[in-house]
């Protein structure tokens, strides 16, 4: 557009800002760095910071000259081979090639065996993994699958999940560098679930399920090692979570879909016989523990109340969240309760949307999008109920887990949308 | 036979305890016990799992003006807390210090561009085009946090 810029960042985010500019192909973007923080301090303090930075801003605005260069591009295939002379786990961890859990060394023979799980050529580039922009070839995906203990038959799911994660709509760059506690949610539908033994019922997203654990681990290895997203920068997560080791990954429990309810992937435009992986970056889920309701109305009233902590991530603070898709993993017993009363999944979603609201007064006064919210919802007073999204159509449901009286609400990271990719062998 | 068995077990225990003591001592001295490599760890070939970095140049940045006098400067706030206050102050100082400077505040003229996380280059470009329509000579943006 031909317009020069100066971007203000803070000492805590200087590295991320420069890495991001580099990986977006603008290695020499002009920055001025001020002492952290800028947010949550008084007006007097922020004014003082502006006064101190003013001379540097003017200098950068008028004297900046282009200097940095992009790294030289090398072929992505074949991956470098090297001779390992030491204990593999210590070596890989010291090199930054593992995330702290044990790995299986990716020897050429093991990688070759893993490649038998896909018909795609080893030199095919699935995509570039942000923020580092490491080129992810099929060969490299197989190497990570070996490291994570995958079986060859898991490869099609791993590849589909990686493709979905690298779709721009998934906003993986944002999700993996945010200060928030985000992780990947990976939902698998269709015949592949049974074929590879992916757990889809009791404790499906937890431990003791080999396919779930190995595919999830491989995905996070790819994100951290090929994508280079490691704390303290460029992964800026304030606390992080176990989701940084293995994401939330499970099959939809299609066996427990109430009569007339469609599987998640069918609602997203696929055939029932298709195998599909859907990926979305999420905040830690909210759990609905309801052992007591005997009507859908009772159940959804309680659920709406429980979900409200995550309603607050939208509203006037992150208004774009209100146009995003939010997912509810309904426990089979909760689904049965509402379906037996004649409700459809859409009715469930609409009721959840109607109940999960917070009064406008709870948001901090510093939220930036009050005017825009008012344009959408009308005049705002302290008691105005602010919904989770602008439309009930933004609430999508699936059947998640096995026996028990628990459902889960998965709120998306800002600007992250679920991306579904058909599994191809 | 029984006595012989006891002797073997006792001997094995003593050797094991000796090894433990050696290991503890080497840890205490800040060194690790003999590394697997030096114990004849078999060498073998592995793939480097990092992959190569491939970054395409997207845009060539324009040169900056040698002076801000008489220029139109857009202050761009992304919605993060205090970014607007910081930029307001920079705007005040620019007007005070630089002759003929004109300030435009993005959040006043185009509030729909106040978006902390755009999620994609495409979305960022959409917002930037809205701001470029005001034809600023320079944009000063605040990222926070």
């Amino acid at each position: 557009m031909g317009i020069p810029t100066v971007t203000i960042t803070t000492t805590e985010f200087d590295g991320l800002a420069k890495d991001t500019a580099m990986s977006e192909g603008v290695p020499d973007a002009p920055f001025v760095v001020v002492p952290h923080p800028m947010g949550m301090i008084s007006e007097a303090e922020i004014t003082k910071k502006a006064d101190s930075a003013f001379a540097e801003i003017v200098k950068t605005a008028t004297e900046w000259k282009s200097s940095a260069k992009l790294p030289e591009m090398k072929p992505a295939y074949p991956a470098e081979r090297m001779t390992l002379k030491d204990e593999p786990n210590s070596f890989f961890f010291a090199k930054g090639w593992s995330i702290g859990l044990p790995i299986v060394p990716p020897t050429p023979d093991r990688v070759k065996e893993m490649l038998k799980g896909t018909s795609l050529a080893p030199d095919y580039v699935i995509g570039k993994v942000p923020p580092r922009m490491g080129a992810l070839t099929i060969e490299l995906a197989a190497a990570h699958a070996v490291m994570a203990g995958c079986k060859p038959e898991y490869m099609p799911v791993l590849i589909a999940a990686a493709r979905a994660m690298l779709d721009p709509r998934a906003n993986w760059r944002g999700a993996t560098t945010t200060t928030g506690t985000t992780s990947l949610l990976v939902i698998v539908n269709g015949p592949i679930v049974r074929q590879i033994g992916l757990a889809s019922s009791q404790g499906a997203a937890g431990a003791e399920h080999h396919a779930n654990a190995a595919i999830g681990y491989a995905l996070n290895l790819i994100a951290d090692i090929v994508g280079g997203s490691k704390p303290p920068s460029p992964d800026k997560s304030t606390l992080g979570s176990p989701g940084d080791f293995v994401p939330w990954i499970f099959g939809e429990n299609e066996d427990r879909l109430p009569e007339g309810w469609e599987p998640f992937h069918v609602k997203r435009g696929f055939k029932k016989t298709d195998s599909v992986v859907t990926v979305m970056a999420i905040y830690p889920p909210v759990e609905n523990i309801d052992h007591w309701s005997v009507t859908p109305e009772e159940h959804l009233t309680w659920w709406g109340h429980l979900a409200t902590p995550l309603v607050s991530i939208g509203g006037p603070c992150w208004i774009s969240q209100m146009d995003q898709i939010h997912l509810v993993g309904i426990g089979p017993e909760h689904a049965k309760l509402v379906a037996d009363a004649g409700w459809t999944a859409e009715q469930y979603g609409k009721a959840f949307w109607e109940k999960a609201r917070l009064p406008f007064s709870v948001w901090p006064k510093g939220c930036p999008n009050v005017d825009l919210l008012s344009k959408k919802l009308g005049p705002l007073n302290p008691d105005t109920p602010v919904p989770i999204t602008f439309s009930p159509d933004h609430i999508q449901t699936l059947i998640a887990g096995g026996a028990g009286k628990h459902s889960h609400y998965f709120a998306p990271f800002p600007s992250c949308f679920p991306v579904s990719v058909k599994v191809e062998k | 036979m029984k006595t012989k068995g006891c002797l073997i077990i006792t001997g094995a225990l003593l050797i094991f305890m000796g090894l433990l003591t050696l290991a503890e001592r080497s840890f205490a001295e800040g060194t690790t016990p003999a590394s697997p490599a030096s114990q004849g760890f078999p060498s073998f070939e592995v793939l480097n799992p990092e992959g190569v970095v491939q970054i395409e140049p997207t845009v060539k940045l324009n040169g900056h003006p040698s002076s801000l006098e008489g220029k139109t400067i857009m202050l761009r706030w992304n919605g993060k807390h205090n970014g607007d206050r910081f930029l307001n102050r920079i705007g005040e100082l620019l007007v005070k210090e630089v002759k003929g400077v004109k300030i435009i505040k993005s959040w006043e003229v185009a509030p729909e561009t106040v978006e902390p996380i755009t999620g994609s280059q495409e979305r960022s470009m959409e917002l930037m085009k809205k701001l470029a329509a005001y034809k600023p000579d320079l944009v000063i943006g605040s990222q926070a946090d």
Side-chain angles (χ1 to χ4, degrees), chain A residues 66-399:
Chain A
S66 178
S67 57
K69 285 184 179 164
L70 290 172
E72 187 191 345
M73 294 256 273
K74 291 178 185 167
Y77 177 86
E80 181 192 6
R81 265 72 171 164
M82 56 193 307
T83 302
L84 187 66
K85 294 177 181 166
D86 212 337
E87 193 278 312
N89 278 297
S90 309
F91 178 81
F92 270 59
F93 191 59
K95 294 282 275 183
W97 294 351
S98 69
I99 58 176
L101 294 176
I103 53 105
V104 177
T107 60
D109 283 350
R110 286 185 181 129
V111 172
K112 194 175 166 190
E113 188 62 26
M114 190 61 67
L115 284 167
K116 289 180 182 169
T118 175
S119 60
L120 291 167
D123 64 346
Y124 176 79
V125 177
I126 300 170
K128 292 166 192 171
V129 189
R132 177 174 167 264
M133 304 308 271
L136 179 66
T137 61
I138 294 292
E139 181 200 47
L140 206 59
H144 285 273
V146 168
M147 288 163 66
C150 289
K151 297 176 184 174
E153 57 263 38
Y154 301 168
M155 278 292 282
V157 172
L158 176 64
I159 292 167
R163 275 185 163 153
M165 184 176 86
L166 298 182
D167 186 302
R169 291 169 295 170
N171 185 18
W172 181 241
R173 172 188 294 281
T176 196
T177 57
T178 177
T179 50
T181 307
T182 53
S183 59
L184 268 185
L185 170 67
V186 182
I187 300 156
V188 188
N189 278 92
I192 194 79
V193 172
R194 235 183 260 284
Q195 286 163 11
I196 66 168
L198 194 94
S200 59
S201 181
Q202 211 68 37
E208 317 298 336
H209 309 295
H210 189 263
N212 305 48
I215 295 169
Y217 180 21
L219 266 177
N220 273 7
L221 281 169
I222 288 169
D224 281 25
I225 294 156
V226 186
S229 180
K230 299 168 185 175
S233 186
D235 179 352
K236 298 298 296 181
S237 183
T238 300
L239 181 60
S241 80
D244 294 330
F245 289 111
V246 179
W248 289 78
I249 172 168
F250 56 91
E252 180 178 25
N253 192 344
E254 294 182 34
D255 292 342
R256 297 293 301 273
L257 275 162
E259 202 179 326
W261 288 32
E262 289 180 321
F264 182 59
H265 66 309
V266 173
K267 288 190 279 193
R268 293 184 57 77
F270 293 88
K271 288 189 282 189
K272 192 173 180 197
T273 50
D274 290 337
S275 291
V276 176
V277 174
T278 303
V279 158
M280 187 171 83
I282 56 165
Y283 287 112
V286 169
E287 181 181 5
N288 172 0
I289 309 155
D290 186 358
H291 293 256
W292 309 278
S293 298
V294 291
T295 67
E297 291 82 4
E298 242 189 319
H299 176 63
L300 268 302
T301 300
W302 173 232
W303 196 186
H305 169 74
L306 290 168
T308 50
L310 282 184
V311 175
S312 61
I313 59 173
C317 282
W318 301 87
I319 200 166
S320 60
Q321 273 250 334
M322 299 181 73
D323 277 320
Q324 291 179 234
I325 302 299
H326 296 232
L327 301 177
V328 181
I330 312 173
E333 293 190 32
H334 287 165
K336 185 176 185 311
L337 170 75
V338 294
D340 283 354
W343 283 33
T344 62
E346 290 68 33
Q347 281 174 288
Y348 177 102
K350 189 164 186 289
F352 178 80
W353 179 79
E354 282 168 350
K355 300 292 182 187
R357 294 175 182 225
L358 280 172
F360 175 65
S361 60
V362 303
W363 275 277
K365 291 184 175 57
C367 289
N369 296 127
V370 173
D371 291 344
L372 288 180
L373 189 66
S374 179
K375 274 187 189 169
K376 290 273 194 176
L377 299 182
L380 298 166
N381 63 58
D383 298 325
T384 302
V386 177
I388 209 161
T389 58
F390 286 124
S391 161
D393 297 338
H394 292 134
I395 309 295
Q396 293 186 1
T397 63
L398 59 140
I399 304 300

Side-chain angles (χ1 to χ4, degrees), chain A residues 4-6 8 24 38 40-41 51 60-62 74 80 82 84-85 97 106 108 128 132-133 135 144 415, chain B residues 37 43-52 54-55 58 64-65 81-82 89 117 121 137 139-141 143 145:
Chain A
T5 62
V6 176
I8 318 299
E24 291 281 7
M38 288 178 72
M40 300 183 82
I41 59 174
D51 289 349
T60 306
T62 55
K74 291 178 185 167
E80 181 192 6
M82 56 193 307
L84 187 66
K85 294 177 181 166
W97 294 351
K128 292 166 192 171
R132 177 174 167 264
M133 304 308 271
H144 285 273
S415 302
Chain B
S43 66
F44 53 88
E45 201 177 39
V46 289
L47 273 70
N48 175 345
E50 266 191 320
V52 300
Q54 290 192 335
I55 301 171
T58 45
H64 282 209
H81 189 231
N82 274 338
R89 179 61 180 162
I117 298 167
Q121 281 195 357
D137 298 303
V139 175
I140 300 174
Q143 286 295 105
D145 281 358

Side-chain angles (χ1 to χ4, degrees), chain B:
Chain B
M1 281 301 283
K2 213 173 186 180
T3 314
K4 198 176 173 187
C6 280
L7 278 171
I8 290 169
I9 291 168
T10 310
L13 270 174
L14 282 170
I15 291 167
F16 177 68
M17 286 169 71
L19 285 174
L20 265 184
T21 310
L22 275 176
E24 280 166 8
R25 188 181 299 161
S26 58
F27 275 120
E29 289 165 358
T31 60
T32 52
S35 78
S38 65
Q39 288 173 0
F41 196 87
S43 66
F44 53 88
E45 201 177 39
V46 289
L47 273 70
N48 175 345
E50 266 191 320
V52 300
V53 171
Q54 290 192 335
I55 301 171
E56 310 272 355
T58 45
V59 290
K60 189 174 183 314
L61 297 181
N62 282 54
H64 282 209
S66 56
S67 162
L68 298 180
E69 280 192 17
K71 303 292 187 199
T72 299
I73 298 174
M74 165 79 75
L75 303 176
R76 199 262 159 169
W77 179 41
N78 65 355
K80 291 280 181 95
H81 189 231
N82 274 338
D84 52 345
R85 287 173 167 168
F86 183 94
L87 291 169
N88 268 332
R89 179 61 180 162
I90 296 298
E92 282 173 18
L93 294 171
L94 283 167
V95 169
K96 189 176 158 194
E97 303 284 337
V98 184
K99 195 176 162 190
V101 79
K102 185 185 169 194
I103 300 294
I104 303 173
K105 296 175 184 174
S106 66
W107 60 98
E108 289 179 1
V109 297
E112 70 277 14
T113 63
V114 177
E115 198 168 306
I117 298 167
T118 58
S120 67
Q121 281 195 357
E122 290 72 23
R123 179 64 184 152
S124 295
M125 286 301 281
E126 274 176 43
L127 302 185
M128 292 310 107
K129 278 179 186 167
K130 286 182 182 177
L131 300 182
Y134 293 89
K135 299 190 183 310
D137 298 303
L138 177 83
V139 175
I140 300 174
S142 168
Q143 286 295 105
D145 281 358

